Amino acid sequence: MPRLALALGIVLFWLCALVVRRAHAAPFDLTGNDWEGCSELVRLARSELGDERVVATTRIDFHELSADDGLLVLYPKQTLDVDDVSKFMRAGGRAILMDDFGRGDSLLEHFGIERVASPRRPVTELRHNPAFALAEPASAHPVVSDVTSIVTNHPTGLTHHDLSPVLKIRAQDGESDVTIAVAGLVGQGRLLAVGDPSIVMNSMLRYAGNKSFAHGIIRYAVDQDTWGKRGGRLFILSGTFDQVGTFGADKGALNEALRSLRAAIEAVHRDGAPNAIAYAAAIALGLALVVWVGSRAGKLHRAVAPHFVRPIPTVVQGGVAGHAAVIAAPQTSRVLAVLELKSALEEYLSTVLGLERIPPWEELVARAREARLLDTEGLHTLRELLLRMSNAEAMVVSQRSGTAVKPIRDSEVVAIAKMVHAIISQAERERQVRSHGAPT
């Protein structure tokens, strides 16, 4: 029996260990009752305004906000929808951002507010610790009207040239005082930025100055304004929360899609890709690698001869062969071939006629007639051929000037070559007749 009881006790212990989980509230949890929760702030707000006017939520629908409402955001863990928050304030709403190291930078940067370090040696501090510096009112702002000093917890400073300072930490040993809260008008609404959300934690509200500051924030969020009576609801958000809708207009599908896309990108940037997506990407990459390796491994590659043993293309060679290959290349204009034939024919005739230079084609035909180098039909063919070649030479000038010309085809080049060959052959026969009296 003792052994059975011991065994049952061990089993029950492990069952309790597996089933029972300790609850750990997140920092600034609006329902958290531990030292870093903010349930006491929510309780103060409901005591000040009434339960129906305080909405402590994890989801804000901008379409449901009105200009009479107030928005209190504590240590946001995702980027705020700056456009909708700005439109909300311009219409008359009041937004209070309490953030030191969260993701409230987007709203601060939108209004030109910069973060700065708190003093290393404050004038007054709690427990001789600079991280618990005491802040004091920096102006007669209504939020700090009942405040003498506030205990901070690792605050960050805020600076802006045009906004009014609300809280500051005085420094010593030559350091400049640092403002940790600023406020200003945004259209008909107002913005209050505080560089330390820890001021309103449960454990920090035991200090009289911190509690007075919390009461001041709650009243300020829904207080009356110069443009009219307010008195709307106070929405309190902290940490991670959903943002939906569009202020002042019906929720559009495009705006919602863009907001969801931004949130997804930010979540991946902050927390990494979800496990399912990471696994799917890894599997897809692995399969792609297998397919690529398989396609490459089974493929036979043609042997490539080294450069030093490869034959040299005729086009890049010099001499007559290289020149002929360039002229006969498919991309070369056939006008060059015609000009080569013209040059060869004129040089041949000038040499046969004993001329020191190549004359114009009309004179060359006349000299050939005087020397009886060709018969009547041959002279007629020579005249037409030289005229045709001269026109081809003029085509080169027209192409360079941008004028569209009719291209010369390969068949035309072949026909001209045959005519040149016929004229040279007839001239050679005439020369042999004169020299020997009969052709050989």
Side-chain angles (χ1 to χ4, degrees), residues 365 368-369 371-383 422-423 426-427 429-430 434:
V365 173
R369 182 187 300 110
R372 297 181 180 179
L373 190 61
L374 299 170
D375 58 15
T376 303
E377 185 179 354
L379 289 172
H380 180 72
T381 302
L382 177 62
R383 176 186 294 275
I423 291 173
Q426 183 181 356
R429 288 195 299 271
E430 291 294 333
R434 294 179 184 180

Side-chain angles (χ1 to χ4, degrees), residues 350-392:
S350 298
T351 301
V352 170
L353 296 173
L355 303 177
E356 296 181 357
R357 61 180 181 82
I358 300 176
W361 68 270
E362 296 92 343
E363 183 179 347
L364 191 59
V365 173
R367 293 291 186 94
R369 182 187 300 110
E370 293 174 0
R372 297 181 180 179
L373 190 61
L374 299 170
D375 58 15
T376 303
E377 185 179 354
L379 289 172
H380 180 72
T381 302
L382 177 62
R383 176 186 294 275
E384 289 185 354
L385 185 59
L386 290 177
L387 178 60
R388 189 174 183 182
M389 290 178 171
S390 298
N391 292 336

Side-chain angles (χ1 to χ4, degrees), residues 290-306:
V290 170
V291 172
W292 182 82
V293 172
S295 63
R296 293 290 177 177
K299 183 178 180 181
L300 297 178
H301 295 274
R302 183 170 55 87
V304 179

Side-chain angles (χ1 to χ4, degrees), residues 184-262:
L185 296 174
V186 180
Q188 290 189 335
R190 306 191 185 192
L191 170 66
L192 172 63
V194 184
D196 184 9
S198 303
I199 293 174
V200 295
M201 276 182 173
N202 291 340
S203 59
M204 302 290 283
L205 289 181
R206 68 178 184 268
Y207 300 108
N210 292 47
K211 182 172 288 189
S212 296
F213 184 68
H215 278 290
I217 287 176
I218 294 168
R219 290 192 298 268
Y220 180 73
V222 293
D223 200 5
Q224 308 303 325
D225 213 324
T226 55
W227 51 264
K229 184 178 179 181
R230 299 180 76 247
R233 295 169 296 175
L234 173 60
F235 291 83
I236 306 177
L237 307 163
S238 73
T240 302
F241 48 86
D242 297 327
Q243 303 175 84
V244 298
T246 301
F247 180 79
D250 292 335
K251 182 173 65 176
L254 179 60
N255 291 340
E256 197 67 22
L258 291 176
R259 182 185 287 119
S260 300
L261 179 61
R262 287 195 299 266

Side-chain angles (χ1 to χ4, degrees), residues 333 335 392 394-408:
S333 173
V335 175
M395 291 173 60
V396 177
V397 179
S398 299
Q399 287 178 341
R400 291 177 179 176
S401 63
T403 304
V405 295
K406 183 179 180 181
I408 297 178

Side-chain angles (χ1 to χ4, degrees), residues 11 20 98 103 122 149 155 160 170 257 423 426:
V11 171
V20 177
M98 302 186 70
R103 303 301 297 273
S149 64
H160 192 283
R170 291 191 296 119
I423 291 173
Q426 183 181 356

Side-chain angles (χ1 to χ4, degrees), residues 321-345:
H323 189 63
V326 171
I327 294 176
Q331 64 271 19
T332 303
S333 173
R334 294 298 175 252
V335 175
L336 295 181
V338 174
L339 295 182
E340 287 291 330
L341 292 171
K342 179 176 180 293
S343 177
L345 178 60

